[in-house]
Structures are given as C-alpha cells and as structure tokens.
Amino acid sequence: MIVTDQDLQYFVTTLKNVTKYDFSEYSDKSLKRRLLKVLTDLNLDLIGLLTNIKQDSCFAENIVKEITVNTTELFRDPPVWHLLRSRVLPRFKNNKTINIWHAGCSTGQEVYSMMILLNEMDMLDKAKIFATDLNTDVLEASKKGVYKYRFNIGYLDNFDKVIKQNPLNFEEYNDIPYEKYFDIDKLKDTITIKKFLTEKPIFRKHDLVNDGNLFFAKFDLILCRNVIIYFNYSLQNKVFELFHANLYPKGCLLLGMHETILGPWANKFEKIGQAYVKK
Amino acid sequence: MNYKAVIIGGSAGSFQVITRILHSLPPTFPLPVLLSLHRLKHIRSGFVEALSIKASIPIVEPFDKEQIKPGRAYLAPANYHMFIELGNKIALSTEESVNHSRPSIDLSFITAAQVYREKLVGIILSGANRDGAYGLKKIKDLGGTVIVQDPSECQVKTMTEASLKMTNVDHILSTQEIIKFLQNIKTTAP
C-alpha cells in the first residue's frame, strides 16, 4: 500500500473539517509514513478511514493521537542535560521565579527530568512548570508519572550520566539514590515518579498549530524537543515566532539535539551550545 | 551508471570496516555517503569523532532537513531514525524503534531507495540482527546496486546472511573489494 499526495490531502482536509486539527503544515513525508502506519495497524483503506473519521468524532480524535509521535525518555540525550546544568540553568540562579514551558511534553519524562535536575541545583522551589501536548492521553500519563521499567532501563543510565556524574569533572560522583525521585517495582515492571514531583506541574492540552500562549505568564525557558521535525518550514517559523514572543529577554529556547532554527528567526536568538537565547 | 548516493548499514562488528572504508575514500569522493549504523550504548556520543579520526571525507551527524551534499558522510544520530527525502534532504524522526533499532537501517534504506532509485548503491556490513535486509531488497527492487560484505569475513554474520537470503545481490565483497568498488565509482559519475 502506498499513500499518495492526493490521499494525504484528502486525509488532512477531512480531519480539518471534522475536528479542529490542521495538519496541512506538517512535514508531508513524516505524515505520510504515520498515515500508512495507521492504515496498516487498523487494516483499513483510506476510504474506510475517512468514513469512520466523518461518522465518529471520538474515532477522529483517536486517529490524531495515533498520527502524532509520542516517544520520549527520562534525560533523553544526556549532552543536552549537561548543557542545561552547566550553562543554561545557572543563568536563572538568582531569579525569584523561573517559568518553564515544556511544549509537546508527551508522557512527561522530560518534565520530570527537568524537575529532578532543578532539585539537585536547589532551584525547584522557585520553578513554575507548565507542560502541554496536543494529545490528552499522554497528558493523563504525564500526570500519573508511571513508566514501564524493563522497556526503559536506559533511563537509569541517563540518570547516572546527568545526575550522578559531572562531565566537567570525572572525579566527582554524587551517589544520589534513584529512590530519591522514583520508586522502582521490578515485579510490577514500573518506575513511579514520586508524588512531590508529579503534583507540581500544570498540564494543559495545547495545539502548537492553533493555540497561542495559554498561560498568563512569560517564560525563562521553553523546551520543545523533537516536535518541529514533524513540521514544515512555514509552521516551524510560526512556532518560533510564538516562542520568541513569549520568552523573557535573555530567556532560552531549547530544541532537540538535531533540530535547528533556519530562516528569519535565527538572528533573533544567540546560541549557547544547542540553546537559543532571546536577544 | 551515474550513481547519486551510497548508503551503508551496519551493526555489531562493522565499526572497523566502516573506519577502513571512510579512510580509503578519496577526499574528492563524488557522492554523499549515508551511514545508518546501530550503536552500542556506551558509544552513543563520540561516535562521529571516533569515525572522523581516520576518515578522508567530513562526517556529520545531520540536522533535521539538512541538505545532502556530495563528498560528505552523514551518520544517523543516536536515537533518531534517519530518512532520505525528495529534494536531497535528511529528515530525522523519533518514531518507535523498528527491529529494536533506532536508527533503523531498513527505514533509511527504504527511503533512500525511493529517492535515488537505480542511482543508489546499498551496502550491508557485519551485524547481529536482521535490520537492513528488507531495506536492501527495496533498493534492489527499485533498480539500485546492492552489495553485501562477505559473511565469511564478518565478525557477526546475522545481518549479511539475512540480506543474502532475501535478495539476489549484485556483489558479495570483502572490505578491500568494497573499498575498490567505491574508489572506482568516481569514474562513472558525471
């Protein structure tokens, strides 16, 4: 089975008519792959899928959840967390409050990674954490903070690399126990984030295509990692505009390890490693 | 044949082979080299530096939507799938692992096959799983040239043997012969 440009257009138009979601400025290649995956998983052809979408708004909502990518990990890409620890977060050390927005937070691992790092830097108390995603299922999972253990053993390696070790000083080793932040139950196959972390963030549904800033606040730090790879150039620029407008001066935007700002918004930021600082 | 790109997939036991290949390419190699390699956890970062030490062409871990240029090697970043898109661009994605792998060699190969069709050389090296076998078949189906490292020379044969089982390949070559094939490719390009 292949998904043609026209198939994709029918799909996007139908979704736009039935729901409020607009995928027309997503990267077509990745959207085609996702559409093909959904058709294969559901064993439907395009006509069947579109008929179901038109008849059943719950089904349509579920398709949107399937079509978007929801992978994340605790401390994904440790070098990014080293940068946060050594060069980004220290900039806010003397702030009275630090407002952080995780845009596209998926199932919440990045949010809790950030809070663990802030806590180790004695900055958690003054942080206000906002986290958003398009998909309400992943937001519910975020609030619970319960993850599969066996599937995610790599999380613990990342924790060691970011929290226990100091990449700038190999002799330093902080033996911080996992139990400080999560409970591991090997029998139930779960890693459960401690309540003092899960009860703090404000989680809200938010669509980067349609919605502006939902919170009556500006931000010191916005994280939007591995989200814009699924957007086309024009939508990427709209999102950069939104972020730029809602950062404080000298506020930081952190994209994914292999994402970059191309085009007009690049010169409105200064780069510190991978981080973009609003000029 | 005027080839437009070379794509190489490898896993366990392929590091030294890749190093030798990249070392032996002429600095003026006329094509882009796309590398989709599984990595061991402890060399997730520093891999590009390790490969670069002896390489004669620049190696980059590309950014999403980066333009592909000849004479450079593009290494799929750890923990991302690397796709090749029309317009000669890289696309990265964090979609679920395929064959327990991210990057998945199959996904890189399939998308490269769709873009370059008969103007692509696909090479499968030593490796411990079956990722890449289906992708190599796709390259062949779309008219590309496919090469498998001689299993008798591979540290781990699973990947090359799986590829040979699925596809009637154009060449089964030793590392030295792969190098020779690539060195001579320049005479066939425009």
Side-chain angles (χ1 to χ4, degrees):
Chain A
M1 186 162 41
I2 50 165
V3 174
T4 64
D5 289 339
Q6 194 164 41
D7 292 342
L8 190 69
Q9 214 181 335
Y10 283 145
F11 172 72
V12 169
T13 311
T14 307
L15 264 189
K16 201 172 165 181
N17 290 340
V18 174
T19 68
K20 57 200 171 309
Y21 299 106
D22 180 1
F23 284 91
S24 60
E25 292 196 291
Y26 275 57
S27 150
D28 11 327
K29 286 293 149 61
S30 73
L31 201 54
K32 268 189 197 170
R33 282 194 301 270
R34 299 300 291 178
L35 176 57
L36 184 61
K37 184 177 185 299
V38 166
L39 291 170
T40 315
D41 289 351
L42 296 177
N43 196 19
L44 283 171
D45 62 7
L46 187 72
I47 304 294
L49 183 78
L50 297 186
T51 309
N52 279 309
I53 287 174
K54 284 178 200 155
Q55 287 170 353
D56 181 348
S57 63
C58 277
F59 180 87
E61 187 78 24
N62 281 329
I63 292 300
V64 169
K65 289 170 182 169
E66 290 297 320
I67 218 96
T68 48
V69 175
N70 293 303
T71 48
T72 175
E73 328 168 4
L74 280 179
F75 298 105
R76 185 190 157 101
D77 298 326
V80 173
W81 296 94
H82 295 151
L83 176 79
L84 280 165
R85 179 168 211 167
S86 62
R87 295 177 70 192
V88 175
L89 293 175
R91 300 166 68 91
F92 309 120
K93 191 90 192 179
N94 297 322
N95 285 23
K96 272 192 185 154
T97 59
I98 309 163
N99 290 347
I100 302 177
W101 176 15
H102 297 264
C105 68
S106 187
T107 42
Q109 284 88 327
E110 177 188 274
V111 179
Y112 297 123
S113 305
M114 177 59 82
M115 292 170 76
I116 291 169
L117 182 55
L118 287 167
N119 195 48
E120 288 301 320
M121 297 175 75
D122 290 324
M123 292 166 75
L124 183 58
D125 286 345
K126 54 185 176 185
K128 285 189 184 147
I129 313 278
F130 304 88
T132 60
D133 203 281
L134 176 83
N135 178 336
T136 49
D137 290 355
V138 297
L139 287 172
E140 284 310 308
S142 291
K143 287 179 200 165
K144 290 196 183 97
V146 181
Y147 307 114
K148 290 265 183 228
Y149 171 70
R150 240 170 325 185
F151 185 66
N152 294 310
I153 281 178
Y155 287 2
L156 303 183
D157 291 343
N158 287 353
F159 180 93
D160 292 354
K161 276 187 201 151
V162 176
I163 298 299
K164 294 189 180 183
Q165 295 160 8
N166 178 353
L168 300 175
N169 178 2
F170 286 103
E171 286 173 20
E172 190 185 317
Y173 187 83
N174 304 303
D175 196 10
I176 294 149
Y178 303 132
E179 295 73 38
K180 187 171 172 186
Y181 296 109
F182 31 84
D183 296 309
I184 297 174
D185 187 330
K186 292 185 186 172
L187 275 180
K188 286 190 190 152
D189 192 26
T190 54
I191 298 178
T192 305
I193 306 289
K194 295 271 191 193
K195 202 171 166 220
F196 81 97
L197 296 176
T198 55
E199 64 191 9
K200 186 175 167 89
I202 296 167
F203 290 102
R204 289 277 184 283
K205 181 180 160 82
H206 178 268
D207 179 356
L208 280 167
V209 176
N210 292 320
D211 304 335
N213 181 353
L214 292 186
F215 308 104
F216 295 97
K218 293 216 173 199
F219 301 95
D220 298 289
L221 179 58
I222 297 175
L223 290 92
C224 183
R225 296 165 67 215
N226 303 315
V227 174
I228 61 155
I229 47 182
Y230 305 109
F231 296 170
N232 72 11
Y233 179 71
S234 142
L235 179 55
Q236 286 188 350
N237 281 321
K238 284 182 201 162
V239 171
F240 297 146
E241 184 178 2
L242 172 72
F243 291 157
H244 188 270
N246 289 288
L247 278 170
Y248 285 120
K250 305 284 173 197
C252 289
L253 168 64
L254 202 73
L255 301 174
M257 182 99 168
H258 294 276
E259 290 171 324
T260 184
I261 300 181
L262 302 167
W265 290 94
N267 61 23
K268 306 214 185 281
F269 293 92
E270 197 178 344
K271 271 192 110 173
I272 298 183
Q274 273 297 108
Y276 289 90
V277 181
K278 179 174 173 173
K279 278 185 188 167
Chain B
M1 175 57 66
N2 292 335
Y3 291 112
K4 282 195 173 161
V6 175
I7 190 162
I8 304 178
S11 181
S14 68
F15 180 75
Q16 293 198 351
V17 184
I18 286 283
T19 309
R20 276 181 64 196
I21 292 173
L22 292 173
H23 175 62
S24 310
L25 291 179
T28 54
F29 191 67
L31 306 177
V33 180
L34 307 160
L35 302 171
S36 191
L37 307 174
H38 300 160
R39 311 183 183 203
L40 296 173
K41 281 221 165 77
H42 63 275
I43 50 167
R44 274 200 173 170
S45 51
F47 195 40
V48 74
E49 290 80 2
L51 281 175
S52 295
I53 293 170
K54 289 189 169 177
S56 52
I57 59 171
I59 305 174
V60 293
E61 284 185 318
F63 285 98
D64 179 57
K65 299 182 174 57
E66 186 164 334
Q67 193 75 41
I68 298 170
K69 294 182 185 142
R72 282 167 174 260
Y74 296 87
L75 174 68
N79 241 341
Y80 287 85
H81 293 303
M82 182 171 83
F83 300 103
I84 316 305
E85 297 196 341
L86 281 175
N88 231 9
K89 282 187 178 162
I90 301 274
L92 301 177
S93 131
T94 61
E95 281 159 75
E96 297 78 2
S97 298
V98 174
N99 307 317
H100 308 287
S101 308
R102 192 171 62 195
S104 151
I105 301 171
D106 275 345
L107 292 183
S108 297
F109 274 37
I110 292 166
T111 52
Q114 287 162 349
V115 169
Y116 299 116
R117 306 181 76 87
E118 75 282 0
K119 298 188 172 176
L120 179 67
V121 178
I123 306 176
I124 286 286
L125 305 175
S126 171
N129 78 8
R130 308 169 56 82
D131 188 27
Y134 180 71
L136 198 76
K137 181 176 169 353
K138 274 283 165 206
I139 295 178
K140 178 77 185 172
D141 289 349
L142 291 171
T145 301
V146 297
I147 298 171
V148 165
Q149 185 187 4
D150 187 345
S152 70
E153 189 199 73
C154 292
Q155 274 183 34
V156 190
K157 299 174 206 230
T158 320
M159 205 144 110
T160 45
E161 284 181 343
S163 301
L164 290 172
K165 211 173 262 178
M166 205 176 271
T167 309
N168 184 13
V169 304
D170 296 289
H171 307 283
I172 301 173
L173 302 178
S174 68
T175 306
Q176 199 48 50
E177 289 165 334
I178 293 172
I179 288 168
K180 206 172 258 173
F181 179 93
L182 293 175
Q183 284 171 339
N184 288 329
I185 229 175
K186 65 174 186 281
T187 61
T188 62

